[in-house]
Amino acid sequence: MPAVHLLNAAHVDALSCVHAAHSATDARTADHEHTVGLLAKHLAAHMGSSPEEAEAIGLAARLHDVGKMSIPPAILHKSGVLTPDQQVIMQGHALAGAKILQTAKFPLMRLASQIALEHHEHADGSGYPYGLRNNQTSMASRIVSLCDVYDALRRERAYKPGMTHEEVCDALAKGKGRITPDLFDDRVLRAFLDNQKQLAEIFNQSMRR
């Protein structure tokens, strides 16, 4: 599908309205989505996507967590570690987001729906909601998956400190705790690490906005 069709102005406006609505209800998640979109756009371009394709991926990535609107606030904003039952509920945001976005039939929102569904799938099949492996998900989703993890690890939360850029890159490259390199597409991980200085600056600029 030609990327120019993904960037229909009315469709971009519709996507932006959904993001603004999410921001009004959950500014913290929306800020995270915004930064992930910037990172994903840059990484997609670095990997060879056309400017239009990279822009579309970046825009669609801004809705990857929109399904969190369906999560009860007591779970979504819990300051401590989630219980196993709460974790299952939280994981439901991927499928919920895809269902919300697939109600719109235009290509950009379909891309956003696919990313929302797949951004927690892992290359080794250990992700959710369906345990899909690397060759079963879109490249756009694989890009957003890595950018999502990077941003989440960098940010301070009530239940954890933020990690430095160097700490996150070391964890992505070598593994640390639940983060291991085999969770990610090899090409995406290599491209991220090769371009990490620019991506760190994008993150830093976004945090200053």
Side-chain angles (χ1 to χ4, degrees):
M1 184 178 298
V4 65
H5 296 316
L6 290 171
L7 295 180
N8 176 286
H11 297 168
V12 172
D13 285 347
L15 186 147
S16 297
C17 285
V18 175
H19 185 261
H22 192 194
S23 181
T25 60
D26 184 4
R28 187 177 73 176
T29 299
D31 286 346
H32 160 72
E33 290 176 315
H34 175 79
T35 304
V36 170
L38 296 175
L39 295 168
K41 174 184 174 180
H42 184 87
L43 185 55
H46 180 73
M47 293 183 66
S49 294
S50 70
E52 294 82 5
E53 290 168 337
E55 179 73 17
I57 291 170
L59 288 168
R62 290 169 60 193
L63 298 182
H64 74 275
D65 271 343
V66 73
K68 287 185 176 179
M69 290 193 295
S70 70
I71 304 300
I75 295 176
L76 183 62
H77 301 302
K78 184 177 179 180
S79 59
V81 178
L82 298 178
T83 68
D85 287 344
Q86 291 171 335
Q87 187 65 38
V88 170
I89 293 171
M90 180 66 85
Q91 289 179 355
H93 80 275
L95 188 56
K99 288 181 176 179
I100 290 168
L101 299 172
Q102 72 183 13
T103 60
K105 305 304 182 184
F106 53 86
L108 182 59
M109 204 68 89
R110 285 186 175 274
L111 175 63
S113 177
Q114 182 177 37
I115 289 172
L117 179 66
E118 297 177 346
H119 74 282
H120 280 295
E121 299 288 5
H122 295 154
D124 64 358
S126 66
Y128 64 85
Y130 296 126
L132 301 178
R133 290 186 174 273
N134 201 50
N135 61 351
Q136 297 175 298
T137 61
S138 70
M139 180 56 73
S141 298
R142 296 175 220 168
I143 289 170
V144 173
S145 175
L146 181 51
C147 294
D148 179 38
V149 169
Y150 173 82
D151 184 83
L153 292 175
R154 291 292 314 271
R155 290 177 185 265
E156 180 180 356
R157 293 289 183 247
Y159 55 88
K160 73 171 187 70
M163 295 171 65
T164 67
H165 169 75
E166 292 74 19
E167 288 171 338
V168 174
C169 287
D170 190 63
L172 293 173
K174 301 175 184 177
K176 181 177 182 180
R178 293 181 298 175
I179 303 300
T180 59
D182 56 356
L183 299 181
F184 308 104
D185 180 282
D186 287 341
R187 292 164 293 176
V188 176
L189 181 55
R190 286 198 303 270
F192 189 96
L193 295 173
D194 288 346
N195 202 36
Q196 60 175 279
K197 290 183 179 180
Q198 291 86 347
L199 291 161
E201 183 55 31
I202 289 170
F203 175 87
N204 293 336
Q205 290 177 356
S206 179
M207 293 296 285
R208 291 194 291 264
R209 75 183 181 95

